[in-house]
Amino acid sequence: MEDWAMAKPLVSNELWERLEPLLPPLRPHPKGGRPWVGNREALTGILFVLRTGIPWELLPQEMGCGCGMTCWRRLRDWQVAGVWDRLHEVLLAELNEADKIDWSRAVADSAMLRAMCGGPKTGPNPTDRRKPGSKHHALTDANGIPLVVILTAANVHDVKELIPLVDSVPPVRGKKGRPRRRPKRVQADTAYDSEPHRKQLRKRGIIPVIPKRNREHGSGLGAFRWVVERTLSWLHQFRRLRIRWERRDDIHQAFMTLAESMICGYFMNPKLC
């Protein structure tokens, strides 16, 4: 028996129970033809590519998930339909209901990656001899749960994405009252040192905790900021996200949001992932 057949299923029953209600129904083609590949089988192929980083055309046919192009189209269509964003919100709501999201602070950071095929949201990487690259900007809660991840070109300065990160946090339900979107504090390193951005955070009712440049080494914030670095490391454990192979930024964003959901699922229940 092949190793992949003996391994743990990529799509657990727990994950499928949450995702299936969010998927648009499969409608038969009016002119007939081959039957559709099932949604669960297509999701298996998508997760296999996300985890292993293999090209779509090398997706093993023995997995029963159709050809790589079928899975790619399903990833694209579900991104357009907002499926991945809604899955992320569902899992955040479950975490919030279980009191696992720590809103006392949120932590921001970023990580570079190469963009082998160019495309939108790529630019010269200042840390890689100006080769084409992109950047992942992440905002997590105090435990490292990813609240939002944004894709930009590699030459976009971190501080420019601080307010977009905060404003992109989805409404997190799970408790009575209005959905929550704002942490009490936002912590970041000196790359985010900007008085105008501190003022914008205060206008949103958020306390900025950002050290100033040109001060003595050691702000003491490293004891709190490591959680976002760990989350970025977890994000890049999904090999498709270590290097950007997608020319289309919406396809890469779909992979990112799905990876966010998988990390949230692990915080909720390791069996989910």
Side-chain angles (χ1 to χ4, degrees):
M1 185 179 291
E2 298 287 346
D3 291 341
W4 63 265
M6 299 174 62
K8 175 184 174 183
L10 287 175
V11 182
S12 65
N13 292 332
E14 291 81 4
L15 174 62
W16 183 243
E17 288 173 1
R18 289 160 175 80
L19 182 63
E20 185 179 21
L22 308 177
L23 298 176
L26 291 175
R27 295 184 175 87
H29 197 280
K31 296 184 180 179
R34 292 182 180 180
W36 288 98
V37 173
N39 282 334
R40 186 165 185 169
E41 289 75 17
L43 179 61
T44 299
I46 292 168
L47 283 174
F48 190 79
V49 171
L50 174 61
R51 287 186 179 278
T52 64
I54 67 168
W56 289 103
E57 60 270 18
L58 297 183
L59 195 62
Q61 295 297 303
E62 295 85 355
M63 296 179 67
C65 50
C67 68
M69 187 52 63
T70 296
C71 296
W72 183 90
R73 290 193 189 100
R74 212 67 63 88
L75 175 71
R76 175 202 61 191
D77 294 345
W78 292 345
Q79 171 71 3
V80 172
V83 169
W84 308 121
D85 288 330
R86 293 204 300 273
L87 175 62
H88 185 218
E89 292 178 19
V90 166
L91 293 169
L92 285 176
E94 289 188 23
L95 288 165
N96 197 37
E97 184 179 11
D99 289 323
K100 293 188 176 183
I101 297 182
D102 187 345
W103 293 99
S104 63
R105 65 178 180 272
V107 194
D109 204 354
S110 69
M112 299 280 194
L113 66 155
R114 283 192 179 184
M116 302 303 292
C117 301
K121 298 186 179 179
T122 62
N125 187 338
T127 66
D128 192 20
R129 295 174 293 177
R130 299 185 64 80
K131 292 182 179 179
S134 295
K135 186 184 286 190
H136 292 155
H137 302 262
L139 186 73
T140 74
D141 82 325
N143 296 318
I145 294 172
L147 300 175
V148 62
V149 180
I150 290 177
L151 177 71
T152 69
N155 57 338
V156 173
H157 198 282
D158 288 354
V159 73
K160 290 185 177 180
E161 296 303 312
L162 181 58
I163 300 305
L165 272 175
V166 172
D167 290 345
S168 297
V169 174
V172 180
R173 297 172 173 82
K175 292 188 175 182
K176 292 182 179 179
R178 290 185 177 181
R180 181 146 189 182
R181 301 186 64 173
R182 298 281 187 262
K184 292 182 180 179
R185 299 175 179 81
V186 166
Q187 295 180 329
D189 59 22
T190 53
Y192 296 85
D193 178 22
S194 166
E195 199 56 42
H197 288 80
R198 289 188 180 92
K199 290 180 180 179
Q200 291 188 54
L201 288 174
R202 293 189 186 102
K203 286 181 180 179
R204 290 162 171 79
I206 301 171
I207 301 171
V209 185
I210 303 170
K212 294 182 178 293
R213 294 187 180 89
N214 302 322
R215 54 171 293 168
E216 291 184 8
H217 178 71
S219 63
L221 294 178
F224 305 101
R225 287 193 291 103
W226 65 271
V227 294
V228 68
E229 296 171 356
R230 182 187 63 180
T231 299
L232 285 167
S233 176
W234 284 344
L235 199 70
H236 293 164
Q237 288 300 309
F238 296 92
R239 294 187 180 183
R240 195 71 180 191
L241 298 179
R242 291 183 188 179
I243 298 175
R244 178 178 165 184
W245 294 102
E246 286 72 35
R247 183 171 180 82
R248 289 179 52 166
D249 58 306
D250 60 328
I251 300 297
H252 190 82
Q253 182 69 51
F255 274 134
M256 284 170 47
T257 310
L258 178 55
E260 283 183 80
S261 298
M262 298 298 287
I263 295 171
C264 289
Y266 184 82
F267 274 97
M268 188 64 204
N269 179 2
K271 291 183 178 179
L272 254 170
C273 305

